[in-house]
Amino acid sequence: MQFVPEHTGETRNEQLTRNVGELLQELRVAQAGVQILFGFLLSVVFTDRFHDASGFEKSLHLSAVTLAVAATALLTAPAAWHRLLFRTGSRERILAVGNRFVLVGLVCLALAITSTVALIAKVVYGGIAMVVMGVLCLLIFGVLWFVMPFRLNPRPQPTGPPK
């Protein structure tokens, strides 16, 4: 995709500083969801009912935990890089790679939530409910997070920092 330059009247450094700040603020929003989900998934293992779960249910749970871990790592990496590379002139690279990591992290988060909802549906209502809820969750995340942005702004979007 091609980048459409912003015309904000900022210097290149000001624009990069603002873009890093915006990225880190967006990460705060996503990270709260990951933390809540991860805490829930960790606590489930220590219930009596979990020990009676089927192998499939335990595998689905472990998949959700793994996706939540991946989302956590991907969504916190740009903040760690920013801290470690502070004032090294690396903002542009942090933005380019960080943007990609955030997008992959959001996919992992959506899949972790979908897996968790599917697991709950399976335990409470059975296999058909699991499939229905899993598909419904995927559709909701897919449309709201990934389809709607392109419908709102059909111009090609940047995949990295401004040039």
Side-chain angles (χ1 to χ4, degrees), residues 26-122:
E26 291 164 0
L27 292 172
R28 285 183 190 96
V29 173
Q31 190 58 29
V34 173
Q35 289 171 335
I36 293 166
L37 175 64
F38 194 56
F40 165 75
L41 289 169
L42 292 177
S43 67
V44 166
V45 178
F46 299 103
T47 65
D48 291 333
R49 184 145 185 199
F50 182 80
H51 297 289
D52 297 330
S54 70
F56 174 78
E57 292 164 350
K58 288 179 179 177
S59 295
L60 189 55
H61 176 267
L62 184 59
S63 296
V65 169
T66 302
L67 287 163
V69 168
T72 300
L74 289 161
L75 293 172
T76 57
W81 302 340
H82 180 260
R83 220 15 46 212
L84 291 169
L85 301 174
F86 187 66
R87 294 190 177 156
T88 63
S90 303
R91 283 189 192 123
E92 191 164 348
R93 191 72 184 134
I94 291 169
L95 284 168
V97 178
N99 185 60
R100 290 181 188 98
F101 271 51
V102 169
L103 292 174
V104 175
L106 288 172
V107 169
C108 289
L109 177 58
L111 292 174
I113 292 170
T114 298
S115 299
T116 303
V117 170
L119 175 62
I120 291 167
K122 166 77 169 72

Side-chain angles (χ1 to χ4, degrees), residues 1-2 4 146-158:
M1 294 185 208
Q2 287 294 339
V4 178
F146 301 103
V147 174
M148 286 301 296
F150 293 106
R151 302 269 304 159
L152 292 171
N153 186 8
R155 294 179 304 173
Q157 295 297 305

